[in-house]
DNA sequence: TGTAAATTTGACCATTTGGTTAAATCATAT
DNA sequence: ATATGATTTAACCAAATGGTCAAATTTACA
Protein backbone atom coordinates (compact mmCIF):
# COMPACT_ATOMS: atom_id res chain seq x y z
CA UNK A 1 0.00 0.00 0.00
CA UNK A 2 1.33 3.44 -0.95
CA UNK A 3 1.64 6.33 1.45
CA UNK A 4 -1.47 8.05 0.09
CA UNK A 5 -3.51 4.92 0.56
CA UNK A 6 -2.34 4.23 4.08
CA UNK A 7 -3.02 7.80 5.02
CA UNK A 8 -6.53 7.69 3.61
CA UNK A 9 -7.27 4.42 5.36
CA UNK A 10 -6.26 6.01 8.63
CA UNK A 11 -8.31 9.14 8.05
CA UNK A 12 -11.28 6.89 7.42
CA UNK A 13 -10.70 4.91 10.60
CA UNK A 14 -10.42 8.07 12.67
CA UNK A 15 -13.55 9.59 11.18
CA UNK A 16 -15.47 6.32 11.47
CA UNK A 17 -14.42 5.99 15.09
CA UNK A 18 -15.68 9.48 15.87
CA UNK A 19 -19.01 8.97 14.17
CA UNK A 20 -19.69 5.40 15.33
CA UNK A 21 -18.82 6.21 18.94
CA UNK A 22 -21.27 9.09 19.07
CA UNK A 23 -24.05 7.70 16.88
CA UNK A 24 -23.70 3.95 17.24
CA UNK A 25 -23.86 1.50 14.34
CA UNK A 26 -27.49 2.08 13.40
CA UNK A 27 -27.36 5.83 13.82
CA UNK A 28 -24.15 6.34 11.84
CA UNK A 29 -24.30 7.19 8.13
CA UNK A 30 -21.60 6.26 5.63
CA UNK A 31 -21.99 9.69 4.03
CA UNK A 32 -21.33 11.40 7.35
CA UNK A 33 -18.19 9.36 7.89
CA UNK A 34 -16.99 10.24 4.39
CA UNK A 35 -17.68 13.93 4.98
CA UNK A 36 -15.91 13.85 8.34
CA UNK A 37 -12.91 12.22 6.65
CA UNK A 38 -13.11 14.70 3.77
CA UNK A 39 -13.26 12.03 1.09
CA UNK A 40 -15.63 10.45 -1.37
CA UNK A 41 -18.07 7.91 0.03
CA UNK A 42 -16.97 5.24 -2.45
CA UNK A 43 -13.57 5.23 -0.80
CA UNK A 44 -15.09 3.82 2.37
CA UNK A 45 -16.10 0.75 0.40
CA UNK A 46 -12.82 0.70 -1.53
CA UNK A 47 -10.91 0.35 1.75
CA UNK A 48 -13.40 -1.47 3.97
CA UNK A 49 -15.94 -3.18 1.68
CA UNK A 50 -19.02 -2.51 3.81
CA UNK A 51 -20.42 -0.56 6.74
CA UNK A 52 -20.34 -3.72 8.83
CA UNK A 53 -16.66 -4.37 8.08
CA UNK A 54 -15.77 -0.75 8.80
CA UNK A 55 -17.61 -0.91 12.09
CA UNK A 56 -15.83 -4.12 13.01
CA UNK A 57 -12.49 -2.48 12.30
CA UNK A 58 -13.40 0.38 14.62
CA UNK A 59 -14.87 -1.77 17.34
CA UNK A 60 -12.07 -4.31 17.39
CA UNK A 61 -9.53 -1.54 17.80
CA UNK A 62 -11.54 0.06 20.61
CA UNK A 63 -12.01 -3.30 22.31
CA UNK A 64 -8.33 -4.11 22.01
CA UNK A 65 -7.43 -0.99 24.00
CA UNK A 66 -10.04 -1.57 26.65
CA UNK A 67 -8.24 -3.89 29.03
CA UNK A 68 -4.45 -4.04 28.59
CA UNK A 69 -3.68 -1.18 30.97
CA UNK A 70 -6.17 -2.52 33.51
CA UNK A 71 -4.74 -6.01 33.22
CA UNK A 72 -1.20 -4.76 33.63
CA UNK A 73 -2.04 -2.81 36.75
CA UNK A 74 -4.05 -5.67 38.26
CA UNK A 75 -1.02 -7.92 37.89
CA UNK A 76 1.46 -5.45 39.34
CA UNK A 77 3.30 -6.48 42.49
CA UNK A 78 2.12 -3.75 44.82
CA UNK A 79 -0.14 -3.74 47.87
CA UNK A 80 -3.86 -3.76 47.25
CA UNK A 81 -4.40 -0.31 48.69
CA UNK A 82 -1.87 1.21 46.31
CA UNK A 83 -3.30 -0.90 43.52
CA UNK A 84 -6.77 0.47 44.09
CA UNK A 85 -5.48 4.03 44.36
CA UNK A 86 -3.59 3.76 41.08
CA UNK A 87 -6.38 1.89 39.37
CA UNK A 88 -8.98 4.54 40.10
CA UNK A 89 -6.64 7.35 39.12
CA UNK A 90 -5.69 5.65 35.86
CA UNK A 91 -9.23 4.66 35.00
CA UNK A 92 -10.66 8.14 35.56
CA UNK A 93 -7.87 9.64 33.48
CA UNK A 94 -8.65 7.25 30.62
CA UNK A 95 -12.35 8.08 30.92
CA UNK A 96 -11.62 11.78 30.91
CA UNK A 97 -9.79 11.35 27.61
CA UNK A 98 -12.42 9.05 26.08
CA UNK A 99 -15.69 9.74 27.86
CA UNK A 100 -17.93 8.11 25.23
CA UNK A 101 -16.15 4.78 24.88
CA UNK A 102 -17.95 2.94 27.70
CA UNK A 103 -21.45 3.84 26.50
CA UNK A 104 -20.42 2.88 22.98
CA UNK A 105 -19.09 -0.52 24.03
CA UNK A 106 -22.04 -1.21 26.31
CA UNK A 107 -24.52 -0.24 23.63
CA UNK A 108 -22.83 -2.31 20.93
CA UNK A 109 -22.58 -5.39 23.10
CA UNK A 110 -26.15 -5.13 24.32
CA UNK A 111 -27.59 -4.88 20.83
CA UNK A 112 -25.37 -7.56 19.33
CA UNK A 113 -23.58 -9.73 21.88
CA UNK A 114 -23.10 -12.73 19.56
CA UNK A 115 -21.11 -10.86 16.95
CA UNK A 116 -18.97 -8.58 19.10
CA UNK A 117 -18.28 -10.50 22.29
CA UNK A 118 -15.40 -12.24 20.53
CA UNK A 119 -13.41 -9.03 20.75
CA UNK A 120 -13.84 -9.05 24.53
CA UNK A 121 -13.05 -12.71 25.12
CA UNK A 122 -9.32 -12.26 24.80
CA UNK A 123 -9.21 -9.49 27.41
CA UNK A 124 -6.94 -11.62 29.60
CA UNK A 125 -8.18 -9.96 32.77
CA UNK A 126 -8.02 -12.62 35.43
CA UNK A 127 -9.95 -12.03 38.66
CA UNK A 128 -8.23 -15.02 40.27
CA UNK A 129 -4.99 -13.08 40.58
CA UNK A 130 -6.78 -10.31 42.42
CA UNK A 131 -8.58 -12.90 44.54
CA UNK A 132 -5.27 -14.42 45.58
CA UNK A 133 -3.89 -11.07 46.58
CA UNK A 134 -7.04 -10.28 48.55
CA UNK A 135 -6.80 -13.56 50.45
CA UNK A 136 -3.16 -12.91 51.16
CA UNK A 137 -3.82 -9.46 52.58
CA UNK A 138 -6.80 -10.79 54.53
CA UNK A 139 -4.59 -13.38 56.19
CA UNK A 140 -2.13 -10.63 57.07
CA UNK A 141 -4.95 -8.70 58.69
CA UNK A 142 -4.79 -5.76 56.32
CA UNK A 143 -8.24 -5.93 54.76
CA UNK A 144 -11.51 -7.72 55.28
CA UNK A 145 -12.79 -10.59 53.15
CA UNK A 146 -14.43 -9.66 49.86
CA UNK A 147 -14.87 -11.45 46.55
CA UNK A 148 -12.71 -10.09 43.73
CA UNK A 149 -15.71 -10.14 41.35
CA UNK A 150 -17.60 -7.75 43.61
CA UNK A 151 -14.70 -5.48 44.48
CA UNK A 152 -13.65 -5.08 40.86
CA UNK A 153 -17.16 -4.44 39.58
CA UNK A 154 -17.84 -1.99 42.39
CA UNK A 155 -14.77 0.07 41.56
CA UNK A 156 -15.28 0.04 37.82
CA UNK A 157 -18.98 0.84 38.22
CA UNK A 158 -18.29 3.88 40.39
CA UNK A 159 -15.71 5.12 37.87
CA UNK A 160 -17.70 4.59 34.71
CA UNK A 161 -21.24 5.46 35.75
CA UNK A 162 -20.85 9.26 36.02
CA UNK A 163 -19.56 9.24 32.46
CA UNK A 164 -22.15 7.01 30.79
CA UNK A 165 -25.03 8.57 32.72
CA UNK A 166 -23.68 12.09 32.66
CA UNK A 167 -26.77 13.82 31.22
CA UNK A 168 -29.03 12.25 33.86
CA UNK A 169 -26.75 12.79 36.83
CA UNK A 170 -25.90 16.32 35.82
CA UNK A 171 -29.57 17.16 35.37
CA UNK A 172 -30.75 15.59 38.61
CA UNK A 173 -28.04 17.38 40.58
CA UNK A 174 -28.73 20.62 38.72
CA UNK A 175 -25.11 21.13 37.74
CA UNK A 176 -23.56 23.26 35.01
CA UNK A 177 -20.92 21.86 32.70
CA UNK A 178 -18.00 23.17 34.77
CA UNK A 179 -19.54 22.08 38.03
CA UNK A 180 -19.91 18.58 36.69
CA UNK A 181 -16.33 18.60 35.49
CA UNK A 182 -15.25 19.50 39.03
CA UNK A 183 -17.50 16.77 40.38
CA UNK A 184 -15.77 14.24 38.14
CA UNK A 185 -12.39 15.45 39.36
CA UNK A 186 -13.51 15.03 42.96
CA UNK A 187 -14.53 11.47 42.38
CA UNK A 188 -10.95 10.28 42.08
CA UNK A 189 -10.27 10.72 45.78
CA UNK A 190 -13.87 10.01 46.75
CA UNK A 191 -13.95 6.57 45.13
CA UNK A 192 -10.56 5.56 46.50
CA UNK A 193 -11.59 6.73 49.94
CA UNK A 194 -14.93 5.03 49.70
CA UNK A 195 -13.41 1.70 48.75
CA UNK A 196 -10.51 1.74 51.21
CA UNK A 197 -12.77 2.76 54.08
CA UNK A 198 -14.95 -0.20 53.19
CA UNK A 199 -12.32 -2.92 52.95
CA UNK A 200 -9.55 -1.83 55.31
CA UNK A 201 -9.63 -3.17 58.83
CA UNK B 1 -62.20 6.73 22.04
CA UNK B 2 -63.88 3.34 21.67
CA UNK B 3 -62.78 0.18 23.41
CA UNK B 4 -61.20 -1.28 20.27
CA UNK B 5 -59.21 1.84 19.71
CA UNK B 6 -57.95 2.15 23.24
CA UNK B 7 -56.97 -1.48 23.22
CA UNK B 8 -55.06 -1.14 19.96
CA UNK B 9 -53.30 1.98 21.17
CA UNK B 10 -52.14 0.05 24.20
CA UNK B 11 -50.98 -2.95 22.20
CA UNK B 12 -48.95 -0.56 20.09
CA UNK B 13 -47.38 1.10 23.10
CA UNK B 14 -46.43 -2.23 24.62
CA UNK B 15 -44.95 -3.52 21.38
CA UNK B 16 -43.15 -0.25 20.72
CA UNK B 17 -41.73 -0.29 24.23
CA UNK B 18 -40.38 -3.79 23.76
CA UNK B 19 -38.80 -3.03 20.40
CA UNK B 20 -37.43 0.43 21.21
CA UNK B 21 -35.90 -0.72 24.50
CA UNK B 22 -33.99 -3.53 22.83
CA UNK B 23 -33.10 -1.87 19.52
CA UNK B 24 -33.05 1.83 20.36
CA UNK B 25 -34.62 4.54 18.22
CA UNK B 26 -32.36 4.15 15.21
CA UNK B 27 -32.33 0.37 15.26
CA UNK B 28 -36.09 -0.06 15.66
CA UNK B 29 -38.29 -0.58 12.58
CA UNK B 30 -41.91 0.51 12.37
CA UNK B 31 -42.73 -2.76 10.59
CA UNK B 32 -41.25 -4.77 13.43
CA UNK B 33 -43.32 -2.86 15.97
CA UNK B 34 -46.45 -3.47 13.90
CA UNK B 35 -45.67 -7.18 13.62
CA UNK B 36 -44.99 -7.45 17.34
CA UNK B 37 -48.34 -5.76 18.02
CA UNK B 38 -50.06 -7.95 15.41
CA UNK B 39 -51.48 -5.04 13.44
CA UNK B 40 -51.05 -3.17 10.20
CA UNK B 41 -48.20 -0.72 10.03
CA UNK B 42 -50.50 2.14 8.99
CA UNK B 43 -52.17 1.92 12.38
CA UNK B 44 -48.98 3.06 14.04
CA UNK B 45 -49.29 6.32 12.16
CA UNK B 46 -53.03 6.47 12.68
CA UNK B 47 -52.52 6.47 16.45
CA UNK B 48 -49.14 8.14 16.83
CA UNK B 49 -48.49 10.11 13.62
CA UNK B 50 -44.78 9.34 13.33
CA UNK B 51 -41.94 7.17 14.58
CA UNK B 52 -40.61 10.13 16.54
CA UNK B 53 -43.95 10.73 18.28
CA UNK B 54 -44.33 7.05 19.07
CA UNK B 55 -40.85 6.96 20.53
CA UNK B 56 -41.57 10.01 22.64
CA UNK B 57 -44.69 8.34 24.01
CA UNK B 58 -42.64 5.31 25.00
CA UNK B 59 -39.73 7.25 26.42
CA UNK B 60 -41.82 9.68 28.43
CA UNK B 61 -43.64 6.78 30.08
CA UNK B 62 -40.38 5.02 30.87
CA UNK B 63 -38.85 8.23 32.21
CA UNK B 64 -41.91 8.94 34.35
CA UNK B 65 -41.48 5.63 36.16
CA UNK B 66 -37.77 6.03 36.67
CA UNK B 67 -37.63 8.06 39.86
CA UNK B 68 -40.87 8.15 41.89
CA UNK B 69 -40.10 5.05 43.96
CA UNK B 70 -36.53 6.22 44.53
CA UNK B 71 -37.71 9.69 45.50
CA UNK B 72 -40.28 8.30 47.91
CA UNK B 73 -37.74 6.09 49.63
CA UNK B 74 -35.13 8.85 49.84
CA UNK B 75 -37.66 11.03 51.62
CA UNK B 76 -38.78 8.35 54.06
CA UNK B 77 -38.23 9.02 57.75
CA UNK B 78 -35.94 6.14 58.58
CA UNK B 79 -32.29 5.92 59.55
CA UNK B 80 -29.76 6.13 56.78
CA UNK B 81 -28.56 2.56 57.24
CA UNK B 82 -32.06 1.19 56.83
CA UNK B 83 -32.60 3.60 53.97
CA UNK B 84 -29.57 2.28 52.13
CA UNK B 85 -30.53 -1.32 52.78
CA UNK B 86 -34.05 -0.82 51.44
CA UNK B 87 -32.85 1.30 48.57
CA UNK B 88 -30.45 -1.32 47.26
CA UNK B 89 -32.98 -4.10 47.67
CA UNK B 90 -35.70 -2.14 45.90
CA UNK B 91 -33.41 -0.96 43.12
CA UNK B 92 -32.08 -4.43 42.35
CA UNK B 93 -35.59 -5.83 42.30
CA UNK B 94 -36.67 -3.16 39.82
CA UNK B 95 -33.62 -3.89 37.69
CA UNK B 96 -34.32 -7.60 37.79
CA UNK B 97 -37.78 -6.94 36.39
CA UNK B 98 -36.58 -4.41 33.79
CA UNK B 99 -32.95 -5.16 33.08
CA UNK B 100 -32.77 -3.23 29.81
CA UNK B 101 -34.27 0.06 30.93
CA UNK B 102 -31.04 1.69 32.18
CA UNK B 103 -29.07 1.01 29.01
CA UNK B 104 -32.03 2.27 26.97
CA UNK B 105 -32.31 5.51 28.92
CA UNK B 106 -28.57 6.08 28.95
CA UNK B 107 -28.30 5.46 25.24
CA UNK B 108 -31.24 7.70 24.38
CA UNK B 109 -29.99 10.56 26.50
CA UNK B 110 -26.46 10.31 25.21
CA UNK B 111 -27.48 10.42 21.57
CA UNK B 112 -30.06 13.15 22.02
CA UNK B 113 -29.83 15.02 25.32
CA UNK B 114 -31.54 18.21 24.10
CA UNK B 115 -34.78 16.54 23.11
CA UNK B 116 -35.20 14.00 25.90
CA UNK B 117 -33.70 15.59 28.97
CA UNK B 118 -36.99 17.39 29.57
CA UNK B 119 -38.53 14.10 30.68
CA UNK B 120 -35.85 13.80 33.37
CA UNK B 121 -35.99 17.38 34.66
CA UNK B 122 -39.14 16.83 36.69
CA UNK B 123 -37.71 13.83 38.54
CA UNK B 124 -38.03 15.67 41.84
CA UNK B 125 -35.16 13.75 43.39
CA UNK B 126 -33.53 16.15 45.82
CA UNK B 127 -30.04 15.34 47.10
CA UNK B 128 -30.28 18.10 49.68
CA UNK B 129 -32.69 16.04 51.77
CA UNK B 130 -30.24 13.18 51.83
CA UNK B 131 -27.42 15.60 52.59
CA UNK B 132 -29.33 16.93 55.60
CA UNK B 133 -29.91 13.45 56.92
CA UNK B 134 -26.24 12.57 56.43
CA UNK B 135 -25.14 15.66 58.36
CA UNK B 136 -27.58 14.82 61.12
CA UNK B 137 -26.31 11.28 61.50
CA UNK B 138 -22.71 12.51 61.28
CA UNK B 139 -23.32 14.88 64.19
CA UNK B 140 -24.80 11.97 66.16
CA UNK B 141 -21.64 9.99 65.50
CA UNK B 142 -23.34 7.28 63.46
CA UNK B 143 -21.59 7.71 60.13
CA UNK B 144 -18.65 9.56 58.66
CA UNK B 145 -18.87 12.65 56.47
CA UNK B 146 -19.66 12.09 52.83
CA UNK B 147 -21.31 14.16 50.13
CA UNK B 148 -24.79 13.02 49.13
CA UNK B 149 -23.92 13.37 45.45
CA UNK B 150 -21.13 10.85 45.81
CA UNK B 151 -22.92 8.42 48.07
CA UNK B 152 -26.00 8.32 45.86
CA UNK B 153 -24.07 7.92 42.62
CA UNK B 154 -21.87 5.24 44.17
CA UNK B 155 -24.85 3.17 45.24
CA UNK B 156 -26.78 3.56 41.99
CA UNK B 157 -23.64 2.85 39.95
CA UNK B 158 -22.96 -0.39 41.78
CA UNK B 159 -26.57 -1.49 41.30
CA UNK B 160 -26.95 -0.60 37.64
CA UNK B 161 -23.56 -1.46 36.21
CA UNK B 162 -23.82 -5.25 36.30
CA UNK B 163 -27.05 -4.97 34.32
CA UNK B 164 -25.98 -2.50 31.63
CA UNK B 165 -22.57 -4.13 31.21
CA UNK B 166 -23.79 -7.68 31.67
CA UNK B 167 -22.31 -9.15 28.48
CA UNK B 168 -18.85 -7.78 29.26
CA UNK B 169 -18.81 -8.65 32.95
CA UNK B 170 -20.22 -12.11 32.36
CA UNK B 171 -17.63 -12.79 29.67
CA UNK B 172 -14.66 -11.47 31.62
CA UNK B 173 -15.63 -13.52 34.65
CA UNK B 174 -16.34 -16.55 32.48
CA UNK B 175 -19.81 -17.09 33.91
CA UNK B 176 -22.77 -19.02 32.55
CA UNK B 177 -26.25 -17.48 32.51
CA UNK B 178 -27.29 -19.08 35.80
CA UNK B 179 -24.03 -18.24 37.51
CA UNK B 180 -24.45 -14.62 36.55
CA UNK B 181 -28.00 -14.65 37.83
CA UNK B 182 -26.69 -15.91 41.17
CA UNK B 183 -23.99 -13.25 41.08
CA UNK B 184 -26.65 -10.57 40.63
CA UNK B 185 -28.60 -11.99 43.57
CA UNK B 186 -25.47 -11.88 45.72
CA UNK B 187 -24.90 -8.26 44.95
CA UNK B 188 -27.89 -7.17 47.06
CA UNK B 189 -26.13 -7.95 50.32
CA UNK B 190 -22.68 -7.22 48.91
CA UNK B 191 -23.50 -3.66 47.92
CA UNK B 192 -25.28 -2.88 51.18
CA UNK B 193 -22.36 -4.33 53.14
CA UNK B 194 -19.84 -2.51 51.02
CA UNK B 195 -21.52 0.84 51.54
CA UNK B 196 -22.27 0.47 55.23
CA UNK B 197 -18.74 -0.73 55.99
CA UNK B 198 -17.50 2.38 54.20
CA UNK B 199 -19.62 5.01 55.90
CA UNK B 200 -20.37 3.63 59.37
CA UNK B 201 -18.08 4.64 62.16
C1' DT C 1 -81.86 -2.32 11.02
C1' DG C 2 -79.53 1.34 8.67
C1' DT C 3 -76.09 4.67 8.69
C1' DA C 4 -72.48 7.56 10.04
C1' DA C 5 -68.21 7.54 12.25
C1' DA C 6 -64.20 5.15 13.73
C1' DT C 7 -60.98 1.65 12.77
C1' DT C 8 -58.18 -1.34 9.88
C1' DT C 9 -55.90 -2.82 5.73
C1' DG C 10 -53.15 -3.42 1.40
C1' DA C 11 -51.17 -0.97 -2.05
C1' DC C 12 -48.41 2.62 -2.98
C1' DC C 13 -45.00 6.75 -2.68
C1' DA C 14 -40.76 9.49 -1.80
C1' DT C 15 -36.64 9.57 0.47
C1' DT C 16 -32.79 7.71 2.46
C1' DT C 17 -29.08 4.70 2.48
C1' DG C 18 -25.58 1.24 1.64
C1' DG C 19 -23.35 -0.12 -2.18
C1' DT C 20 -21.49 -0.32 -7.33
C1' DT C 21 -19.19 1.14 -11.50
C1' DA C 22 -16.90 3.28 -15.11
C1' DA C 23 -14.22 6.97 -15.90
C1' DA C 24 -10.74 10.24 -14.26
C1' DT C 25 -6.63 11.32 -11.74
C1' DC C 26 -2.37 10.40 -9.51
C1' DA C 27 1.94 8.05 -8.46
C1' DT C 28 5.68 5.18 -9.81
C1' DA C 29 9.05 2.76 -12.18
C1' DT C 30 11.41 1.87 -16.40
C1' DA D 1 8.28 10.83 -20.89
C1' DT D 2 4.97 7.37 -20.58
C1' DA D 3 2.79 3.06 -19.49
C1' DT D 4 0.95 0.64 -15.63
C1' DG D 5 -1.31 0.13 -11.51
C1' DA D 6 -3.29 2.33 -7.50
C1' DT D 7 -6.38 5.81 -5.89
C1' DT D 8 -10.31 8.91 -6.20
C1' DT D 9 -14.60 10.69 -7.90
C1' DA D 10 -19.35 11.54 -9.76
C1' DA D 11 -23.19 9.32 -11.21
C1' DC D 12 -26.04 5.76 -10.51
C1' DC D 13 -28.71 1.52 -8.51
C1' DA D 14 -31.60 -1.44 -5.63
C1' DA D 15 -33.40 -2.24 -1.30
C1' DA D 16 -35.21 -0.62 2.85
C1' DT D 17 -37.89 2.47 5.39
C1' DG D 18 -41.07 5.98 7.17
C1' DG D 19 -45.12 7.58 5.71
C1' DT D 20 -49.81 8.23 2.94
C1' DC D 21 -54.31 7.08 1.06
C1' DA D 22 -58.42 5.29 -0.67
C1' DA D 23 -61.07 1.48 0.05
C1' DA D 24 -62.88 -2.03 3.17
C1' DT D 25 -64.48 -3.39 7.60
C1' DT D 26 -66.18 -2.86 12.11
C1' DT D 27 -68.57 -0.36 15.73
C1' DA D 28 -71.91 2.58 17.82
C1' DC D 29 -76.31 4.20 18.09
C1' DA D 30 -80.66 6.54 16.49
Amino acid sequence: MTLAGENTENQILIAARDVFIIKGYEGARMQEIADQAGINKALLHYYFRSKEKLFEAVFSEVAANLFPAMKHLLEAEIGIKEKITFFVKMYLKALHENPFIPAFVINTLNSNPESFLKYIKKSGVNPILLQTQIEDEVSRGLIRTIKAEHLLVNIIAMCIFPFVARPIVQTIFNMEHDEYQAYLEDRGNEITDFVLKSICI
Side-chain angles (χ1 to χ4, degrees), chain A residues 4 31 48 51 53 58 60 63 77 98 101 108 118 141 149 164 166 168 187 191:
Chain A
Q31 187 61 58
F48 294 92
K51 185 183 183 184
K53 290 267 196 301
V58 168
S60 77
E77 303 234 340
N98 293 291
I101 295 280
T108 301
K118 58 169 174 269
E149 285 88 349
V164 303
R166 171 167 185 161
I168 310 166
R187 285 193 64 79
I191 295 172

Side-chain angles (χ1 to χ4, degrees), chain A residues 30-81:
Chain A
M30 293 297 265
Q31 187 61 58
E32 189 183 351
I33 294 173
D35 292 348
Q36 176 106 358
I39 52 152
N40 187 283
K41 180 167 70 89
L43 275 186
L44 302 182
H45 294 94
Y46 179 77
Y47 284 101
F48 294 92
R49 265 182 60 93
S50 67
K51 185 183 183 184
E52 243 174 284
K53 290 267 196 301
L54 177 55
F55 183 81
E56 272 188 39
V58 168
F59 187 83
S60 77
E61 198 223 313
V62 168
N65 288 306
L66 223 46
F67 299 110
M70 180 192 311
K71 177 175 147 66
H72 183 258
L73 180 49
L74 283 178
E75 291 169 358
E77 303 234 340
I78 53 176
I80 201 159
K81 296 179 194 175

Side-chain angles (χ1 to χ4, degrees), chain A residues 91-92 95 99 102-103 106 153-170 172-173 180 183-184 187 191:
Chain A
Y91 216 85
L92 287 180
L95 284 164
I106 285 169
V153 165
N154 286 351
I155 295 173
I156 293 174
M158 288 188 283
C159 289
I160 285 184
F161 188 78
F163 288 87
V164 303
R166 171 167 185 161
I168 310 166
V169 177
Q170 187 171 333
I172 285 182
F173 289 163
Y180 200 76
Y183 171 74
L184 289 175
R187 285 193 64 79
I191 295 172

